Amino acid sequence: VKSTVSDSLVMQTYRRWPVEFVSGSGATLVDSDGKRYIDLLAGIAVASVGHCHPRIVAAVTEQLERLIHVSNLFETRPQQELADRLGTLSGGKQSFFCNSGAEAIEAALKLARRWARDQRDVVSPHIVCAQGSFHGRTFGALAATGQPAKQQPFAPMLEGFVHVPYGDPDALESAMDDRVVAVLLEPIQGEAGIIVPPAGYLAKARALCDQWGALLILDEVQAGLGRTGCWFAHTSDGIDADVVCLAKALAGGLPMGACLARPEIAAAFQPGDHATTFGGGPVVAAAALAVLDVIEDEGLLERAIVAGRRLREWLERGMPDVSIRGRGLMLGVQLPNASARDLAAASLSGGVVVNDATPDVIRITPPLVISDDEIDRAATVLSEAWDAIRTA
Ligand SMILES: Cc1ncc(COP(=O)(O)O)c(C=O)c1O
């Protein structure tokens, strides 16, 4: 163990593995000893187009040499183009650009309250969220997050959030009243261990929002931008959202988030209502444009489906006593006991990076560019590691 993390001057907010990665390409990472790993995590669903994709590197380098930052007091071409591209993908939504998933959620929460104050005169607004959800660590996003253990040390929380069991349409219906200005849901819960809601759940949420005049805000931070085989995970549920939050994969590993909203809702934000110095700067926007190009040009939506099916089949064959769930390349391996940390450790030793999302669930969110050969080898390592743990 080479790590000096325990006595470093970095605040100890993460439980880190004693591995230092120094380079990456595609779905391969290399550590400081030169050991190679197959990356089934992609920096937690970020490096969807693979590590250091040459087109991202070229786009960023070119933009770095031209202009790095001017603030949002001025227009910049990459930001305008990115808003156009995201608008085209999302049925004409407008974008507010920021720097993380939590910030995209903050923008959505503020927009919902602002819109409801204008449109519906709601002074005590409620937002319905799901138990087990994860929306980020800033105070608004944390209040929306349905995990009391993450909130408790920082109480009191922001008011006006109601949490209902995820995937239960009746619970959602019971929570609706005329104080509800928005329903905020992940289309597939990520941090909770890749929980896919039952068919029809998001459509029910859509219908309830329409009935009560509330906004449907979908947190696509983890599931969005191709990971499940669609640009947005909720597309496969046949519905549209009023507000969509993006981050993670958006700029290929550079920090960027976006809150997309239908123009008539976005219009509730007046100049001065919301802002961030770095949001949508030319460098990250250039990276995001290159990410969208790569996803399109390399057929990564289709690849997510095909590769996801292959990986799932390999895991189902090699790990018969676990259950695999998810969509595309957003998979959860449900273990029969709380051995996810041990399995992640054993996989890492075997040269495969995965994440223990919960004590009994392994999260698998590889780069969408992962090859068949990498899938087969990684699944073999995981299966063998599991076999050793199971029979120990
Ligand atoms: C669904 C979802 N929303 C929001 C966030 C917060 O994003 P960030 O860590 O960029 O603030 C995450 C992060 O894991 C997430 O998975």
Side-chain angles (χ1 to χ4, degrees):
V1 174
K2 298 186 287 6
S3 174
T4 54
V5 162
S6 55
D7 55 6
S8 81
L9 289 176
V10 177
M11 286 197 196
Q12 302 296 296
T13 59
Y14 300 97
R15 193 155 55 130
R16 285 197 166 126
W17 298 103
V19 174
E20 182 195 345
F21 289 120
V22 294
S23 65
S25 172
T28 300
L29 286 169
V30 181
D31 77 9
S32 50
D33 289 331
K35 177 176 166 184
R36 296 168 74 81
Y37 299 76
I38 300 171
D39 185 6
L40 292 190
L41 184 60
I44 320 184
V46 168
S48 287
V49 298
H51 295 282
C52 299
H53 193 293
R55 288 176 69 181
I56 314 297
V57 174
V60 168
T61 306
E62 197 184 319
Q63 187 59 48
L64 278 172
E65 287 171 347
R66 187 177 307 135
L67 182 68
I68 297 177
H69 177 81
V70 287
S71 89
N72 280 302
L73 300 178
F74 303 94
E75 290 189 0
T76 52
R77 175 63 68 92
Q79 182 180 119
Q80 298 292 335
E81 282 183 14
L82 181 59
D84 283 352
R85 290 285 292 278
L86 292 173
T88 304
L89 294 177
S90 66
K93 293 187 179 62
Q94 290 183 333
S95 291
F96 172 83
F97 292 109
C98 50
N99 312 286
S100 66
E103 276 184 75
I105 296 291
E106 296 294 336
L109 299 175
K110 283 180 72 176
L111 180 61
R113 283 193 177 186
R114 184 76 168 90
W115 170 84
R117 190 169 287 258
D118 289 354
Q119 298 292 317
R120 290 182 33 199
D121 205 20
V122 181
V123 286
S124 174
H126 281 203
I127 295 181
V128 178
C129 310
Q131 292 169 8
S133 62
F134 185 78
H135 299 293
R137 304 292 191 145
T138 53
F139 268 111
L142 186 59
T145 289
Q147 299 187 47
K150 290 193 167 66
Q151 299 175 331
Q152 240 154 19
F154 308 102
M157 287 292 108
L158 189 66
E159 284 175 21
F161 292 85
V162 179
H163 292 91
V164 296
Y166 185 64
D168 178 346
D170 297 334
L172 198 54
E173 184 154 20
S174 310
M176 301 302 287
D177 61 35
D178 53 18
R179 293 168 307 177
V180 174
V181 300
V183 171
L184 166 60
L185 295 169
E186 292 162 86
I188 295 176
Q189 285 190 335
E191 301 297 306
I194 317 296
I195 312 291
V196 184
Y201 178 64
L202 292 182
K204 177 72 178 180
R206 174 73 273 173
L208 286 169
C209 285
D210 291 342
Q211 183 187 335
W212 287 93
L215 301 181
L216 180 61
I217 306 172
L218 292 180
D219 179 346
E220 291 266 4
V221 166
Q222 189 162 155
L225 296 170
R227 180 148 295 284
T228 68
C230 302
W231 282 108
F232 306 107
H234 66 268
T235 313
S236 48
D237 297 87
I239 57 144
D240 195 10
D242 301 304
V243 180
V244 175
C245 295
L246 299 174
K248 287 195 181 281
L250 182 55
L254 299 190
M256 183 176 221
C259 170
L260 277 49
R262 293 199 286 115
E264 59 276 27
I265 293 156
F269 268 164
Q270 300 296 308
D273 273 347
H274 197 50
T276 173
T277 299
F278 293 117
V283 177
V284 288
L289 284 165
V291 165
L292 300 180
D293 284 344
V294 170
I295 292 175
E296 258 169 31
D297 296 348
E298 297 188 11
L300 295 184
L301 302 184
E302 299 76 23
R303 180 66 195 153
I305 306 262
V306 173
R309 194 180 304 132
R310 184 181 187 97
L311 181 52
R312 200 177 175 134
E313 282 167 9
W314 267 83
L315 292 174
E316 277 165 356
R317 264 200 310 275
M319 302 173 76
D321 50 346
V322 308
S323 70
I324 320 274
R325 59 182 177 237
R327 205 183 289 157
L329 279 173
M330 183 173 185
L331 298 175
V333 178
Q334 175 68 60
L335 305 175
N337 50 36
S339 51
R341 188 87 187 159
D342 291 343
L343 181 53
S347 302
L348 200 60
S349 301
V352 172
V353 181
V354 294
N355 162 254
D356 48 323
T358 74
D360 59 356
V361 178
I362 290 285
R363 167 175 32 197
I364 297 185
T365 53
L368 310 183
V369 294
I370 191 168
S371 69
D372 284 353
D373 177 58
E374 286 166 329
I375 287 174
D376 304 353
R377 284 189 289 132
T380 304
V381 169
L382 255 178
S383 305
E384 286 173 3
W386 174 239
D387 221 34
I389 287 168
R390 192 170 60 91
T391 54

